[in-house]
Every structure is written in structure tokens, then in C-alpha cells.
Amino acid sequence: MLPLLRERGLVTYRIGVIGGDGIGPEVIAEALKVVDATGIAYEPVTYDLGGTRYLATGEVLSDETIEGLRSMDAILLGAIGTPDVPPGVLERGLLLRLRFELDLFVNLRPFLAPAGPLNDGVDMIVIRENTEGTYLGEGGFLRKGTPQEVATQGSLNTRFGVERCIRYAFELAESRPRKHLTLVHKTNVLTFAGDLWQRTFDAVATEFPSVTTGYDHVDAACIHFVQRPERYDVIVTDNLFGDILTDLGGAIAGGIGRAASGNLNPSRTGPSLFEPVHGSAPDIAGTGAADPRAAILCAGMLLEFLGETKAAQRVASAVNESDDVLGSTAEIGSRIAERV
């Protein structure tokens, strides 16, 4: 019934919109401009969250706000962060809490770039486990502030969490032409977590005979990202390694200004969240210098996840063919909207 209603234009999606800080509201405005151009019906529900809100009210993310966001069909976030907020307050209290509360256990980062002087092109997707590993906050201090201070920071990995992420990666790889999946970890040193990831990967692989597989240590993968990114199709890795690799992927595929991401709840027990990864860039906020393409690509990913495949393809094509589009943030957004 839902696909038929979509086809008839009878579905209105409720999209949570978090502009955030710095350039966030600027790039999100252009992303919504492009969504408007697709003709997809949606109701934007705006949430005032981020560093500015925290400094004004002392509130990072209330339980009431989480419940409101939980009722959305999807969430579009611009950027979070201001120089006056101590490190970790927003990252843990807002971004990571949303991932945990909404069970956004897959971080999906696509990278696409034509062949250039340094490589034969980039067409890969990194699947990063998003709710476990070192980012759970396990650890602590002993004798803090003394010369004998000890700090520990653990990495928590569960078979359940690892397997559902790996299974998603296999399903994605199976849907792509090359049908290849690479596990990236550090099994020769991280012999407990790495062993769990490798054994789980090998077990799930037996269910996907059409998908070829490979393994790279994370340090080797960093070299290959720079020298031979074309060797990769789909990559699956843990939270910390994925955080590092995906920023490197953005650098080799057109710059961080075009790096989009989806924090996904594939089980669809709640909304998925889509955000560019370039940060709030307060130094250029309000100048019109921000590139909105990453935010626009996020809007396309959001539409794809909602099942609006044709509209998503139009958005992605318009962005991928926009190298000749120059100008201010708003001008770039308007030109891309025209091409949609």
C-alpha cells in the first residue's frame, strides 16, 4: 500500500531538521531547497540543538526532544559545534546519544570520484559500526592529576552488534555490480576484538556465496585508500577505524566538503539520521563560502532510505554533475535545484 501511496503523491514525510551551528543552517537550507525541487511532499519539523543552544540554556538534548525526534520519518542534521563549548559535551551528549537512543548502528559513507592523476577513480562505500567499540565510553582514571595517573579506554564489541553490521554490509555488497566486501581491522594486534570481527565475518560470508571477500589491516587500508582506492567496493569496519578511514575517504574523493553520511537504523524501529561530515566551520559561517553539496547529497541519501529512489537519483546526478557550478552557498544550491 505504501509504495502505491507514494506513487500517487499521498505520503507526506515528517523530516526532523537540525540546522545546528556555524554553517549548518546554511547548508541545510540548500539541501531542503533541492528536496523541494524533487516534488516529494514533506513536513519539516525544526529542532534547535547544538552549541549555541547549549550556551544559552545549558541543555544539550532532553528526553522530550528525543521522543519528538523518534516520531520522525528521518532526520537531517547540518553541523554541531562551537568553540566555546568544551570538547565532548556535544559529541557525547548529542551526537552519540542520538546514535544510541535511536539505534543508528550503521554509519554509511559513500565515496564517488572520477579517475584522476593519482588513481583510477573511486567508487566505494564504507560501513562503519556506529554504536559500539571505543566510543561507548568504557574506561576511567586512576590517581587523576598525579604523576602516577592512569587512563583506560576500552573497546566493547558484542557478537550481536558486530554481526548485524557485517550482515548489512554483505547485503549491500550483494546488491552492487562488483559484489565484493573487505573487512578492515587490526587482527594481528587486537586479538580479542579482531578475532570476534573475523570469525563473525567468516560465518556470515557463508550465507552470501555470490559476494567475494577480502581483509586488510587498517594501516594497509590507509595506504590503499591513497594509492589504489579502486581496489575497494564495500568496506566494513569498527567504530574507531571507520571514523578515521571515512575522513581519509572524503579527502581522496573530492574533499570533505562533499562527504555525506547516513547514520542508519536498518531495522527501521526509529528514524535514520543524515549529516554532512565537514563540521560547523564557524570561521566561514555567514560568508556564503560553505559548499552545500555534502548536505545536498545527504538529502538524496535520506530520500533513498525512505524509498524515493527516483528522486534520490535525480539529486545525486545533479550534484555529481555540478563541478562547473560556482558561487555562494545559496547560488550553488539554487543551480543544483534547477538541475533536479
Side-chain angles (χ1 to χ4, degrees):
M1 178 61 73
L2 188 56
L4 181 60
L5 293 175
R6 285 174 179 149
E7 186 176 329
R8 294 178 178 176
L10 299 178
V11 172
T12 298
Y13 299 104
R14 298 184 77 228
I15 307 299
V17 178
I18 306 172
D21 302 309
I23 64 171
E26 301 171 42
V27 297
I28 289 300
E30 302 314 307
L32 294 178
K33 184 188 295 182
V34 173
V35 174
D36 290 340
T38 69
I40 297 298
Y42 73 99
E43 174 193 353
V45 182
T46 302
Y47 290 88
D48 178 19
L49 296 171
T52 302
R53 170 68 181 273
Y54 172 75
L55 291 171
T57 68
E59 183 178 270
V60 178
L61 180 63
S62 68
D63 293 343
E64 181 182 4
T65 299
I66 287 177
E67 289 309 306
L69 288 167
R70 202 185 303 276
S71 70
M72 298 293 108
D73 292 303
I75 303 167
L76 188 61
L77 184 151
I80 297 296
T82 60
D84 296 330
V85 177
V89 171
L90 299 176
E91 292 83 356
R92 299 209 65 86
L94 201 163
L95 297 178
L96 290 182
R97 189 180 176 197
L98 283 175
R99 293 176 191 175
F100 300 146
E101 293 278 355
L102 302 179
D103 202 19
L104 307 175
F105 64 86
V106 164
N107 182 271
L108 184 149
R109 295 279 297 272
F111 301 104
L112 182 66
L118 299 180
N119 58 66
D120 294 330
V122 181
D123 183 4
M124 64 180 174
I125 297 177
V126 177
I127 301 300
R128 165 191 172 192
E129 200 290 318
N130 213 28
T131 58
E132 294 190 349
T134 54
Y135 289 26
L136 272 179
E138 190 276 330
F141 294 100
L142 293 173
R143 299 187 292 273
K144 187 175 182 180
T146 74
Q148 293 78 34
E149 181 173 349
V150 177
T152 64
Q153 192 82 56
S155 177
L156 191 151
N157 302 263
T158 69
R159 174 64 184 244
F160 171 78
V162 170
E163 181 170 340
R164 65 179 181 172
C165 180
I166 287 174
R167 188 173 299 279
Y168 180 89
F170 268 103
E171 291 170 351
L172 178 62
E174 190 177 48
S175 71
R176 287 168 59 87
R178 289 177 60 188
K179 300 182 186 301
H180 186 77
L181 178 62
T182 304
L183 170 64
V184 172
H185 210 280
K186 191 68 174 173
T187 56
N188 60 335
V189 176
L190 303 178
T191 54
F192 300 120
D195 183 66
L196 173 59
W197 274 84
Q198 185 69 70
R199 283 187 289 107
T200 307
F201 184 85
D202 293 342
V204 176
T206 63
E207 303 175 31
F208 295 86
S210 66
V211 177
T212 58
T213 61
Y215 172 83
D216 281 329
H217 292 322
V218 64
D219 43 350
C222 288
I223 296 172
H224 297 319
F225 262 48
V226 175
Q227 296 182 343
R228 295 177 57 209
E230 65 276 6
R231 69 182 271 139
Y232 292 119
D233 181 19
V234 180
I235 291 171
V236 64
T237 189
D238 81 348
N239 209 335
L240 177 59
F241 295 149
D243 194 1
I244 297 167
L245 280 177
T246 50
D247 280 353
L248 180 57
I252 66 171
I256 205 74
R258 296 196 185 187
S261 76
N263 298 277
L264 308 183
N265 178 337
S267 304
R268 300 182 188 269
T269 57
S272 293
L273 182 151
F274 301 84
E275 60 174 322
V277 300
H278 49 52
S280 61
D283 55 322
I284 61 170
T287 67
D291 189 338
R293 288 177 177 87
I296 295 170
L297 286 171
C298 286
M301 293 171 66
L302 181 154
L303 293 173
E304 176 72 30
F305 200 74
L306 290 176
E308 301 291 350
T309 303
K310 292 181 180 179
Q313 290 173 342
R314 288 161 55 198
V315 172
S317 296
V319 175
N320 293 333
E321 297 170 3
S322 67
D323 287 344
D324 62 324
V325 176
L326 304 174
S328 68
T329 306
E331 289 169 340
I332 293 172
S334 295
R335 291 284 300 279
I336 292 175
E338 292 170 1
R339 297 185 178 190
V340 167

